Amino acid sequence: MTETTDALVLDLVEWIGREPRLYSEVIETWRTSCPRLTIWEDAVDRGYVARQPAAGGVRVAITESGAKFLREHGRGA
């Protein structure tokens, strides 16, 4: 993974960490058509974020691993 991609994964996890987001909002905001920028997929694959059923749809929240990732990069969760 490149530094650029790592930084974007960190930004995504931090954004979701502020408050759980609807899955549709996450995908709309972070969708990309570039196969080299798989930010959402990387965050899920690394276990930093997870989808959770909720009233009104599916929510996305950071996991313990995601919170740790933020703390390790000085962005506390």
Side-chain angles (χ1 to χ4, degrees):
M1 186 166 278
T2 68
E3 280 186 38
T4 300
T5 308
D6 282 342
L8 290 172
V9 170
L10 183 59
D11 288 346
L12 170 64
V13 175
E14 181 180 37
W15 179 71
I16 294 171
R18 289 186 199 128
E19 65 181 86
R21 311 281 180 162
L22 287 175
Y23 174 77
S24 58
E25 179 185 10
V26 173
I27 295 305
E28 180 66 27
T29 304
W30 288 89
R31 174 181 41 206
T32 178
S33 59
C34 178
R36 293 184 183 190
L37 291 177
T38 55
I39 307 310
W40 163 253
E41 292 84 355
D42 292 342
V44 171
D45 289 348
R46 291 178 177 192
Y48 296 155
V49 298
R51 288 169 276 206
Q52 305 166 339
V58 176
R59 291 217 175 264
V60 178
I62 64 170
T63 63
E64 278 299 316
S65 294
K68 180 180 177 187
F69 178 62
L70 291 176
R71 286 190 305 272
E72 288 173 347
H73 289 86
R75 297 197 191 183

